[in-house]
Amino acid sequence: MLDDAFKPKKRIFMALTSVSAILGAMMVYVVWKVSLPGLQQINWALPIAFGLAGGLIVIALLSGVLGIVMALLGIPVLKILYFWAWKAINLLFPLAVVVGRIFNIPRDAIEQSFIEVSNSLVMQHKVKVPGNRIMILTPHCIQRDTCVHKITRNVENCRQCGGCCVGSMLALAHKYGCHFAVATGGTLARQMVKQARPKAIVAVACERDLTSGIQDVFPLPVLGVLNERPFGPCFNTRVDLRKLEAAILAFMDEEEAKEKNAEASKQAS
């Protein structure tokens, strides 16, 4: 179920993206206008061709922003519009950060808003995959720093002692049959995704890593869950397990989820 379409976090990114799209359209027009005399001297058709190309870029950006707005309002979005919405996000995000800096909006706030918008787009698209094609992906800082059982290559090395969130996350992965991987960085994370070949990812990380990771694996659908950092960034981080489970269930078919829950209840009794 989609969150409130007017949630403040979403408004931040939507406002910055809209401004960025307008600025992008203006930049395309200025480039075309400045280039016009030179293009006319080369060939009379070049200004027309260049103008059409620029117009298509502007239409693509604006239709992408429209797709985002429609998704946030709960209006069904055509697949092609969903694709362009994502393209618009990727193209406009750097410009949105620059615009945000002008208005003194912290980058973390922009990235949090981006994640909210991204999650809404994925939820609106209603992606459903089997549990065994879902991958839970998290950075290694989720593990307690003093633990001697290293899990970055094999998460099954976790002893589920309760000293950190890894054991509970592993239990959720077992419950729903998901892949679960812990990565030390973006390169290893991409390798793990390539090896597991999931159809959907539930990613746990900080704002920066979630933002870059979501963009890296597109068009693979990702639901991002922000980690908790009671001891500061990249050190003994945690995750809200209720949010993690909700993200997993959002990707799963309802009947399969019920069966998995029933099996888990039988094993526990």
Side-chain angles (χ1 to χ4, degrees):
M1 185 176 180
L2 288 173
D3 294 333
D4 181 3
F6 297 102
K7 193 172 181 179
K9 282 184 181 179
K10 294 176 186 175
R11 283 207 300 264
I12 293 173
F13 187 71
M14 274 315 308
L16 293 176
T17 302
S18 299
V19 172
S20 299
I22 294 170
L23 289 175
M26 292 172 62
M27 289 167 61
V28 170
Y29 174 76
V30 169
V31 170
W32 177 78
K33 192 71 174 177
V34 171
S35 305
L36 189 57
L39 292 172
Q40 287 175 331
Q41 289 181 2
I42 297 172
N43 189 293
W44 66 269
L46 281 178
I48 299 174
F50 195 87
L52 287 174
L56 288 174
I57 293 172
V58 171
I59 291 171
L61 290 177
L62 294 179
S63 63
V65 173
L66 176 63
I68 299 170
V69 172
M70 290 174 63
L72 296 186
L73 293 175
I75 301 171
V77 178
L78 295 174
K79 191 171 183 179
I80 185 64
L81 200 55
Y82 173 82
F83 174 81
W84 281 117
W86 263 108
K87 284 295 183 183
I89 284 178
N90 291 332
L91 288 170
L92 294 173
F93 182 78
L95 187 54
V97 172
V98 173
V99 174
R101 192 178 297 125
I102 294 172
F103 290 100
N104 202 29
I105 300 174
R107 186 182 178 105
D108 281 358
I110 298 172
E111 289 172 336
Q112 288 173 10
S113 183
F114 165 83
I115 294 162
E116 290 283 348
V117 169
S118 171
N119 286 349
S120 290
L121 284 174
V122 173
M123 293 288 286
Q124 200 274 344
H125 209 51
K126 297 179 181 178
V127 177
K128 296 296 179 184
V129 300
N132 61 5
R133 300 305 302 273
I134 298 172
M135 184 177 195
I136 304 169
L137 187 61
T138 184
H140 71 287
C141 61
I142 201 78
Q143 185 183 28
R144 189 177 59 185
D145 68 310
T146 56
C147 184
V148 298
H149 304 289
K150 297 306 176 185
I151 57 173
T152 51
R153 288 295 177 183
N154 184 5
V155 75
E156 297 294 338
N157 287 335
C158 175
R159 297 299 185 267
Q160 297 182 269
C161 66
C164 64
C165 290
V166 176
S168 299
M169 295 174 75
L170 182 59
L172 275 178
H174 287 165
K175 178 180 179 180
Y176 294 111
C178 306
H179 296 279
F180 179 28
V182 178
T184 54
T187 301
L188 181 58
R190 284 188 289 272
Q191 289 176 356
M192 290 175 165
V193 170
K194 187 175 181 180
Q195 183 178 3
R197 299 180 66 186
K199 289 190 174 180
I201 295 176
V202 176
V204 178
C206 62
E207 292 88 349
R208 182 190 63 185
D209 288 349
L210 277 180
T211 299
S212 61
I214 288 169
Q215 293 174 331
D216 283 347
V217 300
F218 176 78
L220 199 62
V222 180
L223 284 176
V225 181
L226 281 172
N227 61 13
E228 299 171 355
R229 289 151 278 182
F231 305 103
C234 303
F235 183 75
N236 289 348
T237 57
R238 304 188 66 80
V239 64
D240 187 326
L241 294 169
R242 293 171 300 177
K243 292 180 180 179
L244 180 64
E245 186 169 17
I248 295 170
L249 292 174
F251 279 135
M252 290 186 68
D253 179 78
E254 188 175 346
E255 290 302 316
E256 183 187 5
K258 286 180 180 178
E259 290 177 7
K260 297 289 186 182
N261 274 310
E263 290 175 10
S265 298
K266 286 182 181 178
Q267 292 175 359
S269 60

